[in-house]
Amino acid sequence: MNNINVTRSSMPDFEEYIKEIKPLWESHWLTNMGEKHKQFQAELIKYMEVNNVELLINGHMALELSMQALGLTGEVITTPFTFASTTHAIVRNGLTPVFCDIDPDDFTIDADKIEALITEKTSAIVPVHVYGNVCNIEEIDHIAKKYNLRVIYDAAHCFGVKYKNIGIGNFGDVSCFSFHATKVFNSIEGGAVCFKNPDFGQAIYKLKNFGISGPEKVDGIGANAKMNEFCAAMGLCNLRHIDGEIVKRKAVYERYTANLKNIDGLHINFVNDNTKPNYSYFPIVIDEKVFGADRNDVFEKLREANIGARKYFYPLTNNFDCFHGIFDEKLTPNALYISERVLTLPIYADLSIADVDRICWIISQCEKR
Ligand SMILES: *Cc1c(COP(=O)(O)O)cnc(C)c1O
């Protein structure tokens, strides 16, 4: 039996990619904002229906440099139920993350708990659209305006998502996307920021290119986070097929839902009414008292069958070894509860329905042993 990983990267036909990169052998222009970079940027602005896109080498640098470009100071309110990148980007900017609990139904920041965490040092909110589930945008926007805070969305999971028919990159001051190989849409490695303020665009452009502002002028202390031409070419190819890939993911997602929704003790991800989803992940939350087996049992049973589910997100970022003794995961009890019980099941465009059924059968066999 073949191994099934939690995800499998979408790729164009070999010939399509070769055709896309062929001109690079003529121009010998491999990076530094060349033709492919320009085309990819323009295509993304159209597809995402946003004002501006700046491309970066990965999603992490999109987050890290966005925080720097906005000149954040002091404390940043965020959640611990996320990938390492979100919290690390805050800490690597010399900022203090203040962890807000999550809503146990959709795993995004519980907006009702944000205000109590605001102090005179708070400069921003960094919410995460976890698994492509959309945060409580209206409430976050309201709080940000009231206290004059910046909002940077970690939108790494939600490429292609729309909220109330508006592209998800239009919300907050900045939305940061990841085009990593494991994401719904990839450019091998890659990232992007969507934003409205052109001053922010200039600031992040400089930060991704050593602070250079002219041939003989360096007036900022930048990093190097430019997207190269090969990654942009991969992005251009994959963008042609993204809608089809999401349709295929939908079939997988719906099969999982149909198979698992009536099993006692399993909680399935729910999709908000106002959202056009991207079916990026299929998380289940296992209540061991009702189901009869716990998350780790199910993980092991799948692993024995060469099926790679993931404990995503476990541990919480506020319990990472690198932050030992600094934060307290007990202050975010919903996040702690979910992270100990969540399992994300394999999902990708070409996962067969037969494999979905097999995975669900194995899970059902774990019940009440
Ligand atoms: C993948 C991911 C990132 C980082 O993106 P990279 O492109 O891998 O650097 C940030 N936040 C979340 C929630 C992610 O899943």
Side-chain angles (χ1 to χ4, degrees):
M1 205 68 85
N2 286 341
N3 284 4
I4 298 176
N5 277 326
V6 70
T7 188
R8 197 172 83 143
S9 300
S10 292
M11 292 172 84
D13 281 344
F14 180 66
E15 280 72 25
E16 185 180 347
Y17 186 63
I18 295 303
K19 192 169 158 228
E20 198 68 51
I21 61 172
K22 189 120 196 292
L24 304 179
W25 266 259
E26 284 137 37
S27 67
H28 284 245
W29 190 293
L30 306 184
T31 185
N32 285 27
M33 286 63 89
E35 277 309 307
K36 296 295 165 193
H37 184 286
K38 290 195 188 100
Q39 276 176 38
F40 186 34
Q41 186 180 20
E43 292 296 326
L44 282 173
I45 288 171
K46 268 194 269 169
Y47 184 83
M48 301 174 88
E49 299 176 0
V50 292
N51 300 88
N52 303 290
V53 166
E54 198 56 66
L55 297 174
L56 295 126
I57 189 56
N58 57 51
H60 178 79
M61 290 310 278
L63 279 167
E64 198 173 307
L65 297 185
S66 290
M67 290 174 198
Q68 197 180 348
L70 287 173
L72 302 188
T73 56
E75 296 173 359
V76 172
I77 297 171
T78 186
T79 64
F81 191 72
T82 183
F83 185 54
S85 176
T86 325
T87 303
H88 286 358
I90 294 168
V91 176
R92 287 171 57 82
N93 268 291
L95 303 163
T96 305
V98 174
F99 293 102
C100 185
D101 208 355
I102 60 168
D103 178 330
D105 288 329
D106 69 6
F107 319 112
T108 68
I109 195 165
D110 184 344
D112 293 339
K113 296 192 177 137
I114 294 175
E115 270 190 277
L117 298 172
I118 296 174
T119 72
E120 70 279 4
K121 291 190 193 142
T122 310
S123 64
I125 309 170
V126 178
V128 185
H129 297 304
V130 179
Y131 307 132
N133 294 345
V134 175
C135 295
N136 188 341
I137 287 173
E138 282 96 357
E139 185 64 26
I140 292 167
D141 202 46
H142 173 76
I143 295 167
K145 285 211 173 76
K146 185 167 163 192
Y147 293 92
N148 189 28
L149 305 176
R150 305 282 77 72
V151 178
I152 301 177
Y153 281 106
D154 183 335
H157 288 182
C158 65
F159 186 82
V161 169
K162 284 190 177 176
Y163 178 65
K164 295 189 172 167
N165 218 22
I166 299 169
I168 197 71
N170 288 286
F171 300 101
D173 293 280
V174 183
S175 292
C176 299
F177 292 83
S178 165
F179 306 150
H180 185 257
T182 55
K183 301 284 169 25
V184 164
F185 169 73
N186 84 80
S187 62
I188 308 173
E189 292 257 11
V193 289
C194 300
F195 54 95
K196 290 185 203 79
N197 184 349
D199 293 341
F200 172 85
Q202 281 179 9
I204 199 148
Y205 185 92
K206 267 172 55 176
L207 284 172
K208 79 171 181 181
N209 190 29
F210 306 105
I212 296 171
S213 61
E216 298 179 6
K217 189 161 172 169
V218 180
D219 57 0
I221 306 169
N224 177 9
K226 307 183 299 288
M227 179 181 282
N228 66 62
E229 293 291 276
F230 290 82
C231 288
M234 188 66 146
L236 279 167
C237 293
N238 279 335
L239 194 57
R240 290 183 196 117
H241 307 288
I242 180 66
D243 289 337
E245 294 289 284
I246 290 175
V247 168
K248 285 161 121 191
R249 282 175 170 272
K250 181 170 194 260
V252 172
Y253 193 100
E254 286 177 349
R255 186 67 168 207
Y256 269 130
T257 304
N259 285 350
L260 300 176
K261 70 168 191 267
N262 293 324
I263 299 183
D264 289 340
L266 291 191
H267 300 273
I268 309 295
N269 194 44
F270 94 113
V271 176
N272 187 306
D273 286 343
N274 294 314
T275 307
K276 177 187 169 286
N278 65 357
Y279 309 102
S280 47
Y281 296 88
F282 198 90
I284 57 173
V285 177
I286 301 168
D287 178 350
E288 69 285 358
K289 291 204 195 79
V290 179
F291 184 66
D294 69 16
R295 183 269 307 272
N296 295 342
D297 298 332
V298 176
F299 176 85
E300 281 305 322
K301 277 280 171 266
L302 290 169
R303 203 171 57 96
E304 284 164 21
N306 293 323
I307 296 162
R310 277 198 61 190
K311 300 175 193 179
Y312 198 57
F313 297 103
Y314 173 85
L316 295 176
T317 68
N318 56 5
N319 195 35
F320 281 176
D321 288 353
C322 58
F323 300 131
H324 185 77
I326 300 176
F327 306 116
D328 183 358
E329 63 176 352
K330 292 187 193 66
L331 298 177
T332 50
N334 288 338
L336 184 57
Y337 178 93
I338 299 293
S339 92
E340 286 173 343
R341 288 168 183 81
V342 73
L343 196 61
T344 56
L345 303 179
I347 186 166
Y348 46 87
D350 291 325
L351 183 63
S352 74
I353 295 299
D355 280 333
V356 174
D357 289 348
R358 188 161 62 90
I359 291 165
C360 294
W361 186 81
I362 293 167
I363 294 170
S364 71
Q365 294 306 297
C366 301
E367 207 181 352
K368 299 198 180 69
R369 274 181 302 174

